[in-house]
Amino acid sequence: MEMGLIRLVAIAFTLVLVSILPLHVSLAGEITSIESVPDLQKLMYVAVDGYPCVRLLNLSGEIGCANPGLKKVVAPIILLKDVKDLEQPHTILVTADEMEDFFSRVSNDLSFASKVGGVLVDSGSSFQQKLKGFSPDKKFPQAQFSPYANVEYKWNPAASSIMWKAYNFPVYLLSESGVSTVREFLPKKKMNHKTYTSDVAEFNMVMETTKAGTHNSEACLQEGTCLPLGGYSVWSSLPPINVSSSNNHKPIVLTVASMDSASFFRDKSFGADSPISGLVALLGAVDALSRVDGFSNLKKQLVFLVLTGETWGYLGSRRFLHELDLHSDAVAGLSNTQIETVLEIGSVGKGLSGGMNTFFAHKTRDSSVTNMTLDALKIAQDSLASKNVKILPADITNPGIPPSSLMAFMRKNPQTSAVVLEDFDSKFVNKCYHSHLDDLSNINSSSVVAAASIVARTLYILASDSKDTSSSALGSIHVNASFVEELLTCLLACEPGLSCDLVKDYISPTNTCPGNYAGVILGEPSSKPYLGYVGDVSRFLWNFLADRTSVQKGNTASVCSKGVCSKPGEVCIKAESNKEGTCVVSTTRYVPAYSTRLKYANEAWTILPENSSDSMGMVDPVWTESNWNTIKVHVYTVQHSVYDNAVLVGGIAVTTVAYIGILVAKSFITKALKQD
Amino acid sequence: MAAGIGYALVALGPSLSLFISVVSKKPFLILTLLSSTLVWLVSLIILSGLWRPFLPLKANVWWPYALLVISSVCFQEGLRFLFWKVYKSLEDVLDSFADRISRPRLFLTDKMQIALAGGLGHGVAHAVFFCLSLLTPAFGPATFYVDRCSKVPFFLVSAIIALAFVTIHTFSMVIAFEGYAIGNKVDQVIVPVIHLAAGMLTLVNFASEGCVIGVPLLYVLASLTLVHCGKMVWQRLIESRNQSSPSL
């Protein structure tokens, strides 16, 4: 008995010692602390951060990407270079350099496409792609709106057209954190359990149009499973127009820029060079001109117009011109006949080369007005003290103006005298046109500052209608370079993004990352829309332009709450971030941007029949975006079903063996008790 | 889904077998099992409440965890003694009641079955608290591997360890009750020692691939408990049988 005790205690203590000894060596490495079952679930089902490609529809069909059915897509992950004879659809991990060839191959090779369950694009190390150039758009973007016949001209030579095709699988661009998540996940495959587990990606990108079976714009708008693309353009006049006054007939110099871009991935389309550099140059010019006095004494009126939806069939310009024809509230104070000249600021971010900023002036047609504009540009160029800007006329062998809002203006009225300022001549210098790579690193801020300086002085010259080059007023027009640089980081980067001080001064942004995709138009289109339906950038532009073009009547600025100002001609600005805004005298208005083929009635959108008087409407694809509930991607490890079943069988076996053992023990004990 | 059920069966299947074959036959045992499970679950909740202010424990050092294990084992062993005291007074009540209605008192086998049900309750409480509560994600499509035990899925290791502890707790209670009843020092000491050893053995899992050593050792302990319990029960039954029919 005593020996038994000593033996047992000895064994027990040995075990305790054994347990403590190895630990001195072992506790290296981190312990991911799991504090609850939800934590465990988050570690098991790892969320992957990134940007999706969504389903867009037009009158004849669909483009873009989506889950093929109503369920989540779950497919094992494989690298593109390892793809050989797949039996079931897989999630293909594509690097940035392989992207263009991959999508071209998918469109051409149906058997390959059937093996693709989903696509994850690794955005890391894309400098190779940036060098070579990557543009998913067409070689002549929006050629159907061109006012001239040569639609085969290759304005965008780096184009692959992949964003205009339809794909029957989800595609997801991994963000930086998403790339590290997936990369950390995959090497675990090399561990011992490789043979009976596989790493899968789960895509939850079900589009409502797939659910409802509506595969073109007309059907989906009828069912309410999609919304039309569009938004709110903003225009502002310097100085403010007195609408009630009847002798308000100064000729108008209209300056135009766009605020929307697009790319293969809905939420990653900064559009730095095309077209945001132009927008920032316009804002820099407005800022410079706002510090000049005596605008009301000048011969012409300046109007600044920032359009949205231009990427999707020139929705902004077409609707603006339509509203002018209708003399609607949105354009009160303007009329078609008053617009004498139009200056569009296109891509101006890549003009810097060898210390010199070169821009090209493309004119719509030869006329006295366009010559006047070109002369003004020359005078402005010469007046700049730094002498680092050069404006050159576009090559006469170009078929016409490059893809720009002026194409819509020309189609509406072939007599339009207009000039578009671009950083390229015969072909885009932006090799990443309409791609997720057209970001801040793709442009030069000094090029934008130079463009802003030229535009500001040109506009002053045009407005004053004088060729007086030695005017001291002209020399005093300076663009604030730090303002331009700050604005570039607000509109073209996620940090600080729209939470930068400059933007927060005017609005409370709903997103920090500026997604310069036009998006869909929400609610009923009107010139006084519900501000919750207006995008962050549009609201910022409205407030900023109203502030800069405003006239302070005396020094008493009254406060306004609820956006209402008592005096006529006044608008309430900065009413979001501070609850009380300021009333200023300014003519700044929203103009809805949506297709001229659409009509909003009874809380639904309908497509109007083709109208021969609206030639652009006849070729308008009428883009809509499918509604979607949630877009999420997770990666996790899955055991093969054989193993799962083995565990179940094991559990049942353990239970059964235990049962048998207990029965045997019971019979032994009963025998022992009954042994008499 | 299949895997989830499998893991649950690995941890609690034998308990289920024991329940069906022994406990379910007698209502009093079912009551004992339920109240025992409740008592031990409450003890674990109290322990987690007491340790809550000290969380999170320092990640790369082992001694806070050792302290946690030692304090918890001491608390539970103290509670076990209390549990036995309550059972003893209940046994006296039942015996006096049996005397009053002229029925036989509790046999040795009855007392051992009550102890077994009590131990099973302790084991089930442990399995529920440490394994079943984590098992919900196992019913989904994904599985999970921990870096420090990369050969086997996390849920499987958890279920296997839970099974070992169920075995240890179930049979320890039988040993402990007999030890307290007849004053056998060996039995009284061995139960806390085994419990403590088992608890400390789980710390071996902190080592990289430590589960390869820790888990089999845990099963050595569990088999030790089983064997010792079996020997003790056999001895006591033979003794009692000899006592009831003294000389033939």
Side-chain angles (χ1 to χ4, degrees):
Chain A
M1 194 58 183
E2 295 305 312
M3 279 304 289
L5 162 67
I6 294 169
R7 205 175 42 205
L8 282 168
V9 172
I11 293 176
F13 270 108
T14 321
L15 284 170
V16 173
L17 278 174
V18 161
S19 70
I20 297 181
L21 279 174
L23 293 175
H24 292 290
V25 214
S26 55
L27 285 178
E30 5 167 318
I31 303 179
T32 351
S33 89
I34 306 176
E35 289 179 21
S36 61
V37 175
D39 277 355
L40 176 60
Q41 281 208 298
K42 275 199 206 127
L43 278 178
M44 283 171 70
Y45 299 91
V46 184
V48 178
D49 193 35
Y51 312 97
C53 151
V54 296
R55 177 69 77 214
L56 293 163
L57 303 98
N58 59 26
L59 284 175
S60 45
E62 305 174 312
I63 64 166
C65 333
N67 277 18
L70 312 178
K71 295 192 290 211
K72 298 183 195 178
V73 167
V74 180
I77 305 177
I78 189 172
L79 294 168
L80 179 58
K81 58 182 170 73
D82 297 333
V83 171
K84 269 190 218 31
D85 304 326
L86 299 174
E87 280 139 19
Q88 40 150 330
H90 275 63
T91 301
I92 320 252
L93 186 57
V94 177
T95 62
D97 300 328
E98 296 166 331
M99 193 177 153
E100 198 174 313
D101 293 330
F102 173 78
F103 282 105
S104 311
R105 188 173 164 200
V106 162
S107 303
N108 296 328
D109 186 351
L110 280 176
S111 64
F112 179 68
S114 62
K115 298 291 156 47
V116 180
V119 178
L120 290 172
V121 180
D122 182 338
S123 60
S125 67
S126 54
F127 60 86
Q128 191 79 344
Q129 221 186 2
K130 279 189 186 172
L131 275 179
K132 202 179 78 165
F134 168 68
S135 174
D137 206 330
K138 299 188 184 135
K139 292 207 158 42
F140 187 157
Q142 310 210 73
Q144 71 265 40
F145 292 97
S146 129
Y148 45 83
N150 186 358
V151 293
E152 299 301 320
Y153 186 76
K154 296 191 177 57
W155 285 106
N156 184 14
S160 55
S161 300
I162 58 176
M163 72 186 266
W164 301 104
K165 306 219 171 94
Y167 304 100
N168 210 18
F169 47 79
V171 180
Y172 201 70
L173 173 70
L174 298 168
S175 68
E176 262 180 52
S177 66
V179 168
S180 54
T181 308
V182 174
R183 283 204 191 137
E184 261 170 35
F185 210 77
L186 286 183
K188 289 185 192 164
K189 248 184 126 129
K190 306 281 189 298
M191 287 186 160
N192 308 356
H193 49 263
K194 186 179 169 178
T195 42
Y196 38 84
T197 58
S198 47
D199 297 314
V200 297
E202 178 192 85
F203 294 89
N204 191 357
M205 291 178 163
V206 178
M207 298 284 144
E208 234 182 276
T209 51
T210 322
K211 273 201 246 184
T214 49
H215 297 292
N216 61 53
S217 289
E218 190 153 10
C220 75
L221 283 173
Q222 230 170 5
E223 290 296 313
T225 53
C226 64
L227 282 172
L229 296 189
Y232 283 92
S233 313
V234 180
W235 70 270
S236 183
S237 88
L238 180 71
I241 297 174
N242 194 343
V243 184
S244 52
S245 147
S246 53
N247 47 356
N248 195 16
H249 291 303
K250 281 190 193 170
I252 290 175
V253 176
L254 181 66
T255 315
V256 178
S258 321
M259 61 165 121
D260 81 300
S261 180
S263 84
F264 196 88
F265 305 101
R266 180 189 196 273
D267 300 316
K268 194 154 196 231
S269 52
F270 289 121
D273 189 32
S274 316
I276 302 293
S277 59
L279 169 61
V280 174
L282 181 138
L283 296 178
V286 170
D287 178 60
L289 290 171
S290 69
R291 291 189 284 274
V292 173
D293 294 321
F295 257 104
S296 36
N297 301 330
L298 295 177
K299 297 212 178 90
K300 297 185 194 166
Q301 179 87 34
L302 289 179
V303 173
F304 305 102
L305 172 64
V306 182
L307 298 164
T308 188
E310 296 300 273
T311 318
W312 303 102
Y314 297 116
L315 303 175
S317 17
R318 285 165 49 212
R319 177 57 51 176
F320 177 75
L321 295 168
H322 187 65
E323 301 271 327
L324 278 180
D325 283 345
L326 298 176
H327 301 286
S328 70
D329 285 335
V331 293
L334 300 178
S335 80
N336 236 329
T337 48
Q338 271 180 281
I339 299 179
E340 187 189 74
T341 183
V342 183
L343 175 65
E344 181 179 350
I345 316 177
S347 323
V348 292
K350 292 173 88 77
L352 182 65
S353 158
M356 190 65 147
N357 294 295
T358 313
F359 303 106
F360 297 89
H362 300 253
K363 59 185 181 193
T364 51
R365 65 190 191 99
D366 263 317
S367 76
S368 56
V369 177
T370 52
N371 288 336
M372 190 172 63
T373 313
L374 293 173
D375 289 339
L377 282 164
K378 180 99 185 18
I379 297 170
Q381 170 200 293
D382 294 332
S383 77
L384 283 172
S386 54
K387 305 276 183 236
N388 66 343
V389 187
K390 204 159 55 168
I391 305 286
L392 295 174
D395 196 335
I396 49 171
T397 59
N398 286 353
I401 48 170
S404 56
S405 306
L406 291 187
M407 296 216 303
F409 277 74
M410 279 286 273
R411 279 286 285 261
K412 185 90 165 92
N413 175 10
Q415 301 306 311
T416 311
S417 297
V419 171
V420 55
L421 205 61
E422 305 269 18
D423 51 17
F424 61 85
D425 191 1
S426 315
K427 295 196 188 310
F428 291 175
V429 295
N430 183 5
K431 291 196 233 170
C432 301
Y433 180 77
H434 281 176
S435 93
H436 58 282
L437 299 170
D438 189 6
D439 56 20
L440 202 51
S441 61
N442 196 31
I443 60 168
N444 229 307
S445 62
S446 55
S447 176
V448 180
V449 172
S453 313
I454 279 283
V455 167
R457 293 194 178 195
T458 307
L459 289 177
Y460 186 80
I461 294 166
L462 286 173
S464 60
D465 202 14
S466 91
K467 299 242 162 87
D468 188 356
T469 57
S470 60
S471 152
S472 58
L474 190 63
S476 68
I477 300 176
H478 292 293
V479 167
N480 184 347
S482 57
F483 164 76
V484 168
E485 275 162 25
E486 191 187 346
L487 195 53
L488 285 173
T489 61
C490 295
L491 295 176
L492 296 175
C494 283
E495 275 187 49
L498 294 174
S499 341
C500 66
D501 294 330
L502 181 56
V503 171
K504 273 175 105 156
D505 196 22
Y506 293 101
I507 62 161
S508 311
T510 50
N511 290 319
T512 307
C513 256
N516 293 322
Y517 166 61
V520 294
I521 181 162
L522 295 165
E524 179 168 6
S526 100
S527 60
K528 289 195 167 64
Y530 166 61
L531 292 178
Y533 288 157
V534 179
D536 287 336
V537 177
S538 298
R539 292 192 335 270
F540 164 67
L541 289 172
W542 187 92
N543 277 281
F544 177 80
L545 289 172
D547 186 30
R548 287 295 194 270
T549 61
S550 65
V551 169
Q552 289 293 81
K553 281 215 178 95
N555 272 336
T556 50
S558 51
V559 292
C560 50
S561 52
K562 299 193 191 185
V564 176
C565 285
S566 44
K567 303 199 194 106
E570 281 194 347
V571 292
C572 183
I573 64 169
K574 300 189 185 179
E576 283 181 45
S577 23
N578 334 321
K579 288 292 157 105
E580 283 184 341
T582 323
C583 279
V584 296
V585 177
S586 172
T587 309
T588 309
R589 299 201 221 288
Y590 289 108
V591 181
Y594 60 98
S595 173
T596 49
R597 289 285 299 276
L598 289 171
K599 190 174 96 143
Y600 187 86
N602 302 327
E603 304 194 0
W605 290 95
T606 43
I607 298 188
L608 300 167
E610 287 183 9
N611 184 350
S612 53
S613 65
D614 179 11
S615 73
M616 287 192 281
M618 307 246 285
V619 293
D620 183 2
V622 189
W623 291 107
T624 55
E625 182 184 326
S626 169
N627 294 341
W628 40 268
N629 196 358
T630 177
I631 289 187
K632 283 199 187 121
V633 174
H634 287 97
V635 288
Y636 50 85
T637 317
V638 166
Q639 267 170 202
H640 293 171
S641 56
V642 171
Y643 195 71
D644 276 352
N645 293 333
V647 170
L648 180 62
V649 165
I652 294 173
V654 164
T655 312
T656 323
V657 164
Y659 189 71
I660 295 170
I662 292 163
L663 289 180
V664 165
K666 258 176 49 170
S667 69
F668 258 116
I669 291 174
T670 15
K671 257 203 322 201
L673 284 175
K674 289 212 173 109
Q675 248 172 20
D676 261 16
Chain B
M1 180 60 133
I5 299 175
Y7 297 132
L9 279 179
V10 166
L12 283 174
S15 319
L16 187 66
S17 305
L18 196 56
F19 179 79
I20 293 173
S21 53
V22 177
V23 175
S24 64
K25 307 261 195 289
K26 298 190 180 171
F28 189 73
L29 291 181
I30 301 178
L31 284 173
T32 312
L33 171 66
L34 287 175
S35 21
S36 170
T37 312
L38 183 65
V39 162
W40 293 104
L41 266 177
V42 167
S43 82
L44 286 169
I45 291 169
I46 291 174
L47 276 169
S48 37
L50 286 173
W51 271 93
R52 185 72 182 85
F54 301 96
L55 292 181
L57 293 177
K58 265 191 283 198
N60 282 342
V61 199
W62 60 268
W63 61 262
Y65 295 95
L67 210 60
L68 173 65
V69 168
I70 294 171
S71 62
S72 309
V73 169
C74 292
F75 182 80
Q76 286 210 318
E77 291 306 322
L79 187 61
R80 194 196 297 275
F81 185 69
L82 228 76
F83 193 63
W84 178 75
K85 278 279 184 201
V86 169
Y87 157 74
K88 197 77 181 85
S89 44
L90 188 65
E91 188 191 296
D92 293 336
V93 166
L94 286 174
D95 278 343
S96 59
F97 182 70
D99 285 342
R100 261 191 293 137
I101 61 169
S102 311
R103 285 268 199 262
R105 288 186 160 198
L106 290 170
F107 287 122
L108 180 61
T109 46
D110 294 326
K111 293 186 205 174
M112 284 187 175
Q113 281 180 336
I114 294 174
L116 190 69
L120 187 61
H122 189 182
V124 167
H126 182 108
V128 164
F129 196 83
F130 287 100
C131 173
L132 276 192
S133 57
L134 298 176
L135 216 53
T136 352
F139 285 91
T143 186
F144 187 57
Y145 284 82
V146 186
D147 289 334
R148 285 153 193 260
C149 193
S150 59
K151 297 196 175 46
V152 188
F154 169 73
F155 300 108
L156 189 57
V157 178
S158 171
I160 290 174
I161 293 176
L163 176 59
F165 271 98
V166 164
T167 315
I168 292 175
H169 286 318
T170 309
F171 296 104
S172 293
M173 194 66 85
V174 179
I175 300 173
F177 270 32
E178 279 308 304
Y180 293 133
I182 60 176
N184 181 342
K185 289 288 180 222
V186 177
D187 288 343
Q188 282 179 17
V189 164
I190 197 137
V191 165
V193 163
I194 287 182
H195 192 177
L196 186 64
M200 297 304 273
L201 265 178
T202 58
L203 295 180
V204 175
N205 297 332
F206 268 128
S208 173
E209 305 299 333
C211 55
V212 178
I213 311 164
V215 175
L217 281 180
L218 202 59
Y219 270 85
V220 165
L221 263 183
S223 354
L224 216 77
T225 318
L226 200 57
V227 161
H228 184 85
C229 179
K231 269 207 317 211
M232 183 205 75
V233 163
W234 188 258
Q235 265 180 340
R236 295 281 291 119
L237 284 178
I238 302 289
E239 272 172 28
S240 82
R241 193 199 57 188
N242 289 343
Q243 274 173 9
S244 57
S245 52
S247 53
L248 285 166

